[in-house]
Amino acid sequence: MTLFGTNFLTGTQVGVGSVGNVAVTPTQPSQVTFTAPANPGQVGTVSTQPVTITTAGGTSASGTTLIDYYLAPAITSVVPATGTAGDQITINGTGFVNVDTVTFTDSAAATATAVFTPISATQLVATVPGGLATGAGTITIHTCGGNSNAQDFTITWPPGTGHRQHEPSSRRPRIGGTGGDVPPPSAVAAAAPSAARARCRTSAGSNGQSVPPPAGCAPSGPPTGRPCAHVPHQERPPDQGPGSGERVPPRGIKGSGPVPVHQRSV
């Protein structure tokens, strides 16, 4: 520190109130520089001490020059302990007197100073600055007494930005290599092409007989997942079955009853 005044050339010491004295050797009659002694017995956040200088002509008046000792600030909690750029958080602790900076350090060790509003010697409100990486970081406060401890604080993504951990698209299941997610079974059945359904229906031949569907339509269902509408059967010759216009299913196929057939003219 530097004292300014007159008649300093014969100075021998600078006194700092109840803290103690510091030996000096002035080189100019109007100023003297010295290192303030530590104040280990300080209790309050700020301790104001008078400064005097002693020369061959005596000691300067006490109380005309004062020096303030500050305790370093300490952070005890941050509420909430997570937030994104623009959020306001409350910082609690001690020694929040003449705070000059509130510093956020992110997970990549980058720093940014925050806008803050002092509330009291034990509390202030700060706005999370932008431009910081997400993840675990810290907050510190600086005053004339020095830097505070580093209190944990986590930077998060802004809400609604959709930064969720999605499974890579290359690992999602596909259907036919089209890039879509696999739908539920009901959707697969509903999505069967209409042409494929029509292909599996029974049609009538020129002679009135039913024509079975093409290959690929097994009774258990076509490849599309829908069952065929056709049940294979054969007409009994007129001289081997009842003449009531009924058809009898071939052996090995159980039916629930007679199946009507087209009548042919003879």
Side-chain angles (χ1 to χ4, degrees):
M1 301 184 70
T2 300
L3 290 177
F4 297 91
T6 57
N7 302 322
F8 287 174
L9 276 178
T10 60
T12 59
Q13 66 181 21
V14 171
V16 182
S18 61
V19 178
N21 299 321
V22 178
V24 293
T25 303
T27 58
Q28 300 180 49
S30 59
Q31 69 182 54
V32 62
T33 299
F34 70 100
T35 300
N39 187 9
Q42 182 175 347
V43 177
T45 301
V46 181
S47 175
T48 301
Q49 300 289 333
V51 178
T52 59
I53 183 170
T54 300
T55 69
T59 301
S60 65
S62 177
T64 58
T65 302
L66 303 173
I67 181 174
D68 291 329
Y69 280 83
Y70 284 79
L71 289 178
I75 301 175
T76 57
S77 66
V78 176
V79 181
T82 64
T84 188
D87 289 350
Q88 287 193 327
I89 62 171
T90 300
I91 304 175
N92 302 301
T94 59
F96 297 174
V97 177
N98 292 339
V99 175
D100 50 27
T101 56
V102 175
T103 303
F104 284 70
T105 302
D106 66 14
S107 57
T111 61
T113 56
V115 176
F116 65 92
T117 301
I119 304 299
S120 66
T122 59
Q123 189 176 82
L124 60 81
V125 174
T127 302
V128 180
L132 295 175
T134 58
T138 58
I139 299 175
T140 56
I141 291 176
H142 184 270
T143 70
C144 292
N147 281 318
S148 71
N149 57 302
Q151 183 70 22
D152 293 341
F153 185 81
T154 300
I155 304 292
T156 59
W157 287 110
T161 55
H163 289 281
R164 296 183 301 165
Q165 294 298 323
H166 289 289
E167 182 181 4
S169 58
S170 60
R171 296 176 57 187
R172 296 178 185 169
R174 309 290 189 208
I175 287 185
T178 60
D181 292 338
V182 176
S186 59
V188 174
S194 58
R197 292 198 298 268
R199 189 170 60 87
C200 291
R201 294 193 184 122
T202 302
S203 59
S206 59
N207 59 358
Q209 290 184 327
S210 297
V211 178
C217 290
S220 59
T224 59
R226 293 181 61 86
C228 290
H230 171 71
V231 177
H233 62 272
Q234 63 184 15
E235 183 180 2
R236 182 186 297 272
D239 57 348
Q240 296 182 13
S244 60
E246 296 179 349
R247 284 188 178 174
V248 179
R251 293 181 179 178
I253 297 180
K254 295 181 179 180
S256 59
V259 180
V261 298
H262 297 283
Q263 297 291 332
R264 292 185 296 168
S265 299
V266 294

